[in-house]
Amino acid sequence: MAGNIASSAINNALDGFSFVLLIPFLNALFGQSLLPQQKGWLTTLLDATLGRLLDPADKMGSLRTVILIILATVALKNIFVWTAGTLGAQLQEYVTRDLRDAVYQHLMRLPIGYFTRTKVGQIISRILSDTDQTKLLITAVVTDAVNAGTAVLVQVVVLLRISWRLTLLALVVAPILTLVLQPLLRRLRKGYRELRNDLGEMTSVLQESVSGVRLVKSYGAEQYEERRFLEASGTYSGGMVRMARVALIGQPITETLGAVIVVLLLWFGAREVLLNGSLQASEFLVFIAIVMKLLQPMKKLSQLPAVAQNAFASAERLFDVLDSPTEAATDRGTRAIASFGDAMAFEDVSFAYENEPVLEHVSFRATKGDVLAFVGASGAGKSTLVDLIPRFYEPTSGRITLDGIDLREITLPSLRALTGIVSQETVIFNDTVRNNIAYGSAARFSDAQVETAARAANAHAFIAELPQGYATPLGERGARLSGGQRQRIAIARALLLDPPILILDEATSALDTESERLVQEAIDRLLEGRTVFVIAHRLSTIAHATEILVLDRGRVVERGTHESLLAKRGAYHRLNDMQFRAREPDASSVPGA
């Protein structure tokens, strides 16, 4: 930034000097004294730089000398123009990179709640598009403003020396422009912020349709998705056109005012030369040339606020993210724990999403080595309940304790280091098999440890058949693997970390018989020696659970073992009966029935 400012100042000073050099050139052309007659710093500068090189008796020789010096000055000026441009480009790109990196790093530390209420497309738009738009702000406010500002400053200094009256007349346009453009700028800021949101919506529709392309095609919903995208695209483009209309008003206003000022300068300047004799013709011509040169940076400075509104709108959206408190900022935990010794207990825990109750007065205790299963209809609160264990969310009331310590007193990193999660929706990254199994800790585990975990998860056999074995890239979202293979990769990931507390969202119900058998074997190994919280979809898979809790609308309505709950013939019995009937073959579909 310092280099950019210095280079801009030097190149604009040389630019102004090159115009000043025209005065002796024009004086020689008009047959007058080569140097200005008025005493002052301008005459002193010309005398110091040209005085010894000019020969009044040799007009053509003097003209040739002035031309050569002008060419040398312009060449030197352009070296600094290139330097300023290069440093400015580095400045804007690296500041944009730092901002993009800062937003992403902050985003990764935000609580889960932020992601549940913000669309993925909006998040992507902010990280990629909005950070790129702020480049305009850096370009406009720093590089362009510095360059135009120093140009105006240098040229105004020269103009004041030539004629302070004409200079004041030339500069009257600036405050007028500022007043005229203020309502325009306010409208632009508001409009551009709406545009950034429209872009986020369009990105969101695109992300959803591409991610769910299998569903789109299987339901023949191509035209429906097209309509959604075309509507979002049309809204964005319409907004861009409206903002362009408003933004482009500034240039005609600037051009018209500039033309009026130039005409007035020509009229009053001619009077100074022809009637008053207070200004030499050569000085007046140079004055007009500098004013014409000055119009471009003045126009740029007057348009900077309008150009910057889009970037300001994007910057506001970025700071909406950066100002959101991270988990670390809101974490009140001060105790780091290294192990799980006795039990975890929910004590009258309730939770609500934005005043909408999800869990109400839930209490239970899981001692070390227990397997607790949660069953119930969709929306009963099972997933929310287990999300409270690694503190993805905090209870609205009540408390959860680990070995008698409130989870809110435990630091998040140490708590989550004790917790492993195998989700129903297995996440596979576009990376190698090894890096997916040792996710986030690739350098911490050896190849032998990774392979041992894969074998225990019944995954080694199919991994060995992949083209590059454990070094095989799995494609986006594990596209190269079947559902059962993805589940076994996830189980291997959990086995490698070996957490004492495991959250298992059982997902064998959607697998074929062979895959289900292999995954179930891997799960059985995964459960050994751990305290496990299972969200059960197939009741048959939790028959040996230490305790089963039946949830209904956020409340625990039954609890007990598989056999005791069946004997009660209550909610659990009804769920079991429904699943049993669903698995019975339809007699009418059996040949010979």
Side-chain angles (χ1 to χ4, degrees):
M1 187 180 199
N4 174 262
I5 293 172
S7 299
S8 295
I10 293 171
N11 89 61
N12 283 299
L14 291 171
D15 190 43
F17 180 60
S18 67
F19 276 92
V20 170
L21 290 172
L22 290 174
I23 292 176
F25 179 88
L26 293 171
N27 282 341
L29 203 60
F30 295 149
Q32 298 177 349
S33 173
L34 295 176
L35 297 179
Q37 296 176 353
Q38 295 176 331
K39 296 298 181 181
W41 67 265
L42 193 60
T43 304
T44 304
L45 175 65
L46 288 173
D47 186 49
T49 53
L50 289 176
R52 297 180 182 180
L53 302 175
L54 300 179
D55 183 2
D58 184 7
K59 295 290 180 74
M60 290 304 297
S62 296
L63 287 176
R64 184 172 59 251
T65 300
V66 172
I67 289 172
L68 290 174
I69 293 175
I70 290 174
L71 288 174
T73 303
V74 170
L76 184 60
K77 181 203 85 165
N78 279 288
I79 291 174
F80 284 98
V81 168
W82 178 85
T83 304
T86 302
L87 293 173
Q90 291 180 11
L91 177 68
Q92 68 188 35
E93 288 300 332
Y94 291 152
V95 169
T96 304
R97 176 203 62 191
D98 291 347
L99 182 57
R100 182 170 57 240
D101 295 351
V103 172
Y104 181 80
Q105 289 169 343
H106 189 85
L107 188 74
M108 288 295 100
R109 288 162 174 77
L110 291 179
I112 291 288
Y114 178 86
F115 298 91
T116 58
R117 64 177 180 265
T118 309
K119 293 181 180 179
V120 174
Q122 289 284 4
I123 293 173
I124 294 172
S125 175
R126 292 187 187 201
I127 293 177
L128 300 182
S129 179
D130 286 341
T131 52
D132 200 52
Q133 284 297 321
T134 56
K135 185 190 300 183
L136 293 175
L137 184 61
I138 299 163
T139 306
V141 173
V142 180
T143 55
D144 286 354
V146 165
N147 190 41
T150 52
V152 169
L153 180 64
V154 169
Q155 290 163 11
V156 166
V157 168
V158 175
L159 292 177
L160 284 170
R161 175 60 192 88
I162 295 174
S163 173
W164 64 268
R165 294 185 184 86
L166 293 180
T167 302
L168 293 179
L169 179 62
L171 294 180
V172 75
V173 68
I176 295 175
L177 274 176
T178 302
L179 292 173
V180 169
L181 294 177
Q182 279 306 310
L184 180 72
L185 299 179
R186 286 192 293 269
R187 184 174 175 186
L188 282 173
R189 172 80 68 89
K190 181 181 177 182
Y192 278 128
R193 184 171 178 85
E194 292 173 355
L195 268 180
R196 306 316 303 166
N197 289 328
D198 290 341
L199 178 61
E201 287 298 314
M202 184 171 65
T203 307
S204 183
V205 172
L206 176 63
Q207 186 269 336
E208 288 174 355
S209 59
V210 172
S211 299
V213 68
R214 290 179 181 273
L215 182 67
V216 172
K217 291 187 176 296
S218 64
Y219 278 80
E222 290 91 345
Q223 290 184 347
Y224 171 73
E225 291 298 336
E226 285 172 10
R227 283 196 300 273
R228 287 181 68 209
F229 183 80
L230 293 179
E231 182 180 347
S233 177
T235 301
Y236 177 68
S237 295
M240 286 292 287
V241 170
R242 287 193 300 274
M243 286 302 98
R245 287 183 188 138
V246 176
L248 289 172
I249 293 173
Q251 184 169 347
I253 293 173
T254 308
E255 291 277 0
T256 304
L257 284 173
V260 171
I261 294 299
V262 169
V263 169
L264 290 174
L265 285 174
L266 289 172
W267 173 255
F268 286 105
R271 288 174 60 87
E272 293 283 320
V273 174
L274 299 176
L275 298 181
N276 301 333
S278 60
L279 196 65
Q280 287 184 308
S282 60
E283 291 176 325
F284 179 58
L285 289 175
V286 170
F287 187 95
I288 292 297
I290 293 177
V291 167
M292 299 303 291
K293 178 79 172 176
L294 184 63
L295 285 178
Q296 185 61 32
M298 285 284 285
K299 185 194 299 182
K300 185 174 287 187
L301 285 174
S302 68
Q303 292 174 349
L304 281 182
V307 172
Q309 295 313 304
N310 194 358
F312 278 129
S314 293
E316 286 176 355
R317 281 165 48 88
L318 290 178
F319 283 102
D320 282 345
V321 178
L322 290 171
D323 291 340
S324 298
T326 62
E327 286 185 314
T330 56
D331 182 17
R332 302 191 305 274
T334 56
R335 303 178 64 171
I337 56 174
S339 61
F340 171 40
D342 180 27
M344 176 175 284
F346 276 55
E347 300 174 3
D348 197 32
V349 170
S350 296
F351 178 78
Y353 283 118
E354 298 178 351
N355 299 321
E356 181 184 344
V358 179
L359 295 173
E360 296 185 49
H361 308 292
V362 175
S363 297
F364 62 83
R365 178 182 174 86
T367 57
K368 188 173 183 179
D370 282 353
V371 176
L372 262 68
F374 306 101
V375 301
S378 178
K382 303 184 297 295
S383 295
T384 302
L385 189 149
V386 296
D387 280 346
L388 296 176
I389 295 172
R391 285 181 57 199
F392 291 153
Y393 302 102
E394 302 282 2
T396 308
S397 64
R399 68 173 194 155
I400 307 169
T401 62
L402 182 68
D403 294 338
I405 305 170
D406 192 321
L407 293 189
R408 287 170 288 205
E409 297 177 12
I410 302 172
T411 61
L412 279 172
S414 65
L415 174 63
R416 290 176 183 173
L418 299 178
T419 309
I421 301 174
V422 178
S423 174
Q424 181 179 8
E425 296 181 3
T426 305
V427 177
I428 301 294
F429 293 93
N430 188 12
D431 206 339
T432 63
V433 176
R434 186 194 190 284
N435 288 345
N436 266 284
I437 294 175
Y439 178 67
S441 309
R444 177 179 156 194
F445 298 104
S446 66
D447 291 344
Q449 288 174 305
V450 172
E451 183 177 325
T452 300
R455 287 181 182 277
N458 286 341
H460 177 73
F462 78 80
I463 293 173
E465 294 175 357
L466 294 174
Q468 297 167 261
Y470 285 84
T472 304
L474 294 179
E476 187 174 1
R477 305 181 75 171
R480 302 185 62 163
L481 303 178
S482 68
Q485 290 171 336
R486 286 196 292 271
Q487 275 291 357
R488 281 177 274 167
I489 290 287
I491 292 169
R493 188 184 291 161
L495 283 165
L496 185 64
L497 289 175
D498 194 25
I501 301 170
L502 180 67
I503 298 170
L504 180 63
D505 188 351
E506 188 212 350
T508 59
S509 57
L511 305 178
D512 59 78
T513 304
E514 178 61 19
S515 294
E516 180 182 352
R517 182 185 63 81
L518 293 170
V519 170
Q520 192 60 54
E521 286 179 7
I523 288 174
D524 291 341
R525 295 192 189 100
L526 183 61
L527 301 184
E528 292 175 1
R530 304 178 207 284
T531 303
V532 185
F533 301 91
V534 183
I535 297 177
H537 301 285
R538 278 192 178 181
L539 302 186
S540 59
T541 62
I542 56 167
H544 301 294
T546 308
E547 187 176 29
I548 300 169
L549 281 74
V550 183
L551 277 79
D552 182 31
R553 298 179 183 179
R555 291 180 175 272
V556 177
V557 294
E558 286 184 349
R559 64 176 68 205
T561 62
H562 178 71
E563 292 78 10
S564 66
L565 288 174
L566 286 177
K568 287 182 180 179
R569 304 188 67 80
Y572 184 81
H573 183 275
R574 287 194 298 274
L575 288 171
N576 185 75
D577 203 31
M578 289 167 58
Q579 286 196 5
F580 180 76
R581 286 202 304 268
R583 289 195 298 270
E584 285 184 335
D586 184 355
S588 63
S589 66
V590 179

